[in-house]
Amino acid sequence: MVKLKAFDKFENTTDALNAASHLVDSKLPKGLRKFLKAQCQGETLAIADSKLGKAISDKLEINCVNNAAVAELMRGLRSQLSELISGLAGQDMAPMSLGLSHSLSRYKLKFSPDKVDTMIVQAIGLLDDLDKELNTYAMRVREWYGWHFPELAKIVADNVQYAKSVKLMGSRTNAADLDFSGILQEEVEAEMKEAAVISMGTEVSDHDMLNIKSLCDQVIALSEYRGQLFDYLRSRMNAIAPNLTIMVGELVGARLIAHAGSLINLAKHPASTVQILGAEKALFRALKTKHETPKYGLIYHASLIGQAAPKFKGKISRVLAAKSALSIRMDALGEGSEASIGIESRAKVEARLRQLEGRALGKTVSTPGSKGKPSIQAYDKDRKSGTPGLVSSAKIYNTAADVTMDIVPTEEADSTPAKKKKKSKEAVEEAPEPVVEAAEATPAAKKKKKSKDAAEATPEPAAEATEATPPTKKKKKSKDAATPTPQATVAVAVAVTPELTKSGKKKRKAEAEAVAEAAVEAAVEAVNGTSEKKKKKKKSKEETA
């Protein structure tokens, strides 16, 4: 059905890669343009890519066709390519296509020495080893020199400053004549010199002191190399994974890359895996024992999670892992080297953190790399327009909701029914004699001045009680108030006791107690008398009936 009209081969792999990369992007390479001008002028061209056909028709004015029949024709040409082109065997096609595909993959991923993440994996591993060795050496210096100057361990807390001080001082007897201003602060230096005079350490020979100083040199050298290695790691992380560095920091980002093996492998992980990366042992133990799974792994050491409250660490780690996964993919597969995605994502995570903590939500500042995107205004139901922070009104104590109880005085008898008034009158008419006796039972004349106050406080007969009332009270009182009932008598007797007990003397207390007891007995007798009379009246009524 078809036959070969023209064929042009590439001279080397570079030309083939250039042409393939242009065709993938639906662009017209120079070699194909020259070939079409020479072979296809005035012809109708069958094209598999419609975008490429439009570019050819616009630039070369060649009519192009793209439909289902063309797609079927292209499939047949690929399968019969070795028969259409003479001298091209099937065994030669496989290595050529494989080499071209590898070259094209490297070109699409922008493979370059600056993107090699193996250096980060090695650097973070060496940094962790240095930290362990430095800690071991520093503790050995403290323990070794502590036999000679044990007080120095508590005075100087930093390991590097301790090693430098030991190297400069040597024996503790030299501390008073040396200047430590380049190593320690003035207060710490003064305290160290005072402790060196009264130290309880043992003497050390010069040979032992040389070995201690050589160990101090090792500690100082390791600490300096660790600082240089950290600077190198920071620069590599900013070059290879700038977005991830902004999200979680240099150390945490480098540990995530090292744990996954490479930046590409880390980009393949979903956000849920990034969140618990480094806590696999706890995860499988929780799944086996059917307990709660861990909420975070290596990402726990990020600064954003450290700022969150303990109850919000799980939520913030989930949000941070989701945004970090996007940043990792941007770093691994993106073309640009800017950290715009990381800056925007970190701002969103910080806004989420403030929202959880209930703080005022400010507007997110638009960064230069945001490409003109509008700033994000987070929603807050407690925030009013034009006012910063939470402006909900403070709660005020509602006095109207209080329940108050009105205390009815004993003298208020107007609210009682008419029948009860009559019964109370009968009880009062029979009860005045005990009240008078109780009043007469109090001592009439006392030599001391305080006896007058006590005499005034004792209950008097009903007639005198009405005259002794203060003028501020209302003059019009009911008859029931003028003639004290048994309940009023008890109230008067009880009210007398606190005034009498305030004197603080035993005699007055005894007299007050006697008055109160007499009044109570009189009231009880009056009540009993009225109850007996009631019974007699009831019996007489029954007999008459």
Side-chain angles (χ1 to χ4, degrees):
M1 294 179 65
V2 295
K3 65 178 180 179
L4 183 64
K5 183 178 180 180
F7 177 75
D8 188 14
K9 68 176 184 179
F10 297 106
E11 295 181 359
N12 50 39
T13 308
T14 305
D15 296 339
L17 177 61
N18 186 21
S21 61
H22 279 78
L23 291 174
V24 169
D25 296 334
S26 300
K27 295 179 180 179
L28 186 62
K30 291 182 179 180
L32 182 60
R33 186 184 303 172
K34 293 179 180 179
F35 178 78
L36 292 176
K37 282 182 178 180
Q39 303 292 337
C40 299
Q41 287 292 340
E43 300 288 343
T44 300
L45 191 64
I47 297 294
D49 189 0
S50 59
K51 293 182 179 179
L52 181 61
K54 185 178 180 181
I56 292 174
S57 60
D58 291 341
K59 293 182 179 180
L60 302 178
E61 298 180 354
I62 298 175
N63 188 19
C64 297
V65 178
N66 179 23
N67 51 31
V70 172
E72 184 68 20
L73 182 61
M74 289 294 177
R75 186 186 66 81
L77 289 176
R78 288 193 184 95
S79 62
Q80 304 294 331
L81 191 61
S82 58
E83 296 181 2
L84 291 173
I85 301 174
S86 60
L88 182 63
Q91 57 188 6
D92 297 332
M93 288 288 295
M96 286 191 294
S97 60
L98 182 62
L100 182 60
S101 63
H102 284 175
S103 301
L104 185 61
S105 299
R106 290 192 188 95
Y107 177 78
K108 293 298 293 181
L109 292 177
K110 301 292 187 298
F111 186 81
S112 64
D114 295 335
K115 288 288 184 181
V116 177
D117 50 9
T118 307
M119 305 303 174
I120 292 178
V121 176
Q122 299 297 329
I124 191 63
L126 180 57
L127 190 67
D128 292 338
D129 293 340
L130 278 177
D131 288 336
K132 293 178 182 178
E133 295 296 330
L134 190 60
N135 189 27
T136 303
Y137 284 9
M139 294 305 295
R140 182 63 62 187
V141 169
R142 287 177 178 271
E143 186 177 356
W144 201 347
Y145 193 74
W147 289 98
H148 178 63
F149 192 2
E151 292 83 4
L152 185 62
K154 294 182 179 180
I155 297 172
V156 182
D158 187 68
N159 293 330
V160 179
Q161 291 180 356
Y162 187 92
K164 291 180 178 179
S165 300
V166 171
K167 181 181 177 182
L168 179 62
M169 179 170 49
S171 179
R172 66 173 184 268
T173 57
N174 302 327
D177 301 331
L178 296 174
D179 182 19
F180 296 89
S181 59
I183 302 172
L184 305 174
Q185 297 179 357
E186 294 181 0
E187 297 82 2
V188 179
E189 181 181 359
E191 186 178 358
M192 183 187 67
K193 290 181 178 181
E194 291 177 359
V197 178
I198 58 174
S199 177
M200 299 178 65
T202 60
E203 296 297 331
V204 178
S205 63
D206 295 337
H207 185 65
D208 295 334
M209 188 60 66
L210 289 176
N211 288 310
I212 294 174
K213 287 184 177 180
S214 62
L215 184 57
C216 292
D217 292 335
Q218 294 291 329
V219 172
I220 297 170
L222 284 176
S223 64
E224 291 177 353
Y225 178 63
R226 190 215 179 265
Q228 295 175 3
L229 185 64
F230 179 73
D231 294 337
Y232 166 75
L233 180 63
R234 180 186 298 169
S235 63
R236 299 308 302 162
M237 283 295 296
N238 289 326
I240 295 175
N243 294 286
L244 180 62
T245 303
I246 290 176
M247 291 299 298
V248 297
E250 297 88 359
L251 293 178
V252 178
R255 287 192 175 94
L256 288 173
I257 294 173
H259 195 83
S262 65
L263 186 61
I264 297 295
N265 292 340
L266 185 61
K268 295 176 183 178
H269 290 316
S272 58
T273 305
V274 174
Q275 180 180 353
I276 61 171
L277 204 63
E280 292 85 0
K281 188 175 180 180
L283 174 65
F284 294 125
R285 182 173 63 246
L287 294 175
K288 184 177 180 181
T289 57
K290 296 182 179 179
H291 287 80
E292 294 183 357
T293 55
K295 296 179 180 178
Y296 25 67
L298 292 171
I299 204 172
Y300 177 80
H301 300 285
S303 60
L304 287 172
I305 298 180
Q307 296 173 10
K311 60 181 178 180
F312 297 137
K313 287 185 184 293
K315 293 182 179 180
I316 292 300
S317 64
R318 184 166 60 251
V319 176
L320 181 61
K323 299 300 181 183
S324 299
L326 296 176
S327 301
I328 292 166
R329 291 163 191 166
M330 186 66 185
D331 293 332
L333 306 173
E335 296 180 358
S337 60
E338 297 180 356
S340 58
I341 300 295
I343 295 172
E344 293 178 3
S345 301
R346 186 179 179 90
K348 292 179 181 179
V349 176
E350 290 175 351
R352 175 60 176 164
L353 177 60
R354 289 195 300 269
Q355 183 182 7
L356 288 175
E357 292 179 351
R359 296 178 181 174
L361 298 177
K363 293 183 179 180
T364 305
V365 180
S366 58
T367 56
S370 60
K371 299 180 181 180
K373 292 184 179 180
S375 59
I376 300 169
Q377 175 67 39
Y379 173 74
D380 188 0
K381 63 180 182 179
D382 294 330
R383 182 183 178 88
K384 295 181 180 179
S385 58
T387 54
L390 301 177
V391 292
S392 57
S393 59
K395 294 183 178 181
I396 302 173
Y397 183 75
N398 187 11
T399 56
D402 291 344
V403 178
T404 58
M405 297 178 65
D406 296 332
I407 301 174
V408 181
T410 55
E411 297 178 0
E412 188 178 348
D414 295 336
S415 61
T416 57
K419 292 182 179 180
K420 291 185 178 181
K421 287 183 178 181
K422 291 180 181 180
K423 292 180 182 180
S424 62
K425 286 179 182 180
E426 294 174 358
V428 170
E429 288 175 358
E430 296 177 359
E433 294 178 0
V435 177
V436 174
E437 291 176 2
E440 291 176 355
T442 57
K446 294 290 180 179
K447 295 180 180 181
K448 296 181 179 181
K449 295 181 181 179
K450 293 182 181 180
S451 61
K452 294 181 181 180
D453 301 333
E456 292 175 359
T458 55
E460 295 180 352
E464 296 178 359
T466 55
E467 296 176 0
T469 54
T472 57
K473 295 184 178 179
K474 295 181 180 180
K475 293 181 180 180
K476 294 181 181 180
K477 292 187 177 180
S478 62
K479 295 180 180 180
D480 299 329
T483 57
T485 59
Q487 291 84 351
T489 309
V490 175
V492 172
V494 174
V496 170
T497 53
E499 295 180 0
L500 294 176
T501 52
K502 288 180 181 179
S503 62
K505 294 185 179 181
K506 295 182 179 179
K507 291 182 180 181
R508 307 303 295 173
K509 288 183 181 180
E511 291 173 0
E513 290 175 359
V515 172
E517 290 176 359
V520 172
E521 289 176 359
V524 172
E525 288 177 2
V527 173
N528 292 335
T530 54
S531 60
E532 289 177 0
K533 280 190 176 185
K534 287 180 182 179
K535 290 179 181 179
K536 288 179 182 181
K537 287 182 179 180
K538 286 183 180 181
K539 286 182 180 181
S540 62
K541 287 181 181 180
E542 291 175 358
E543 289 174 359
T544 55

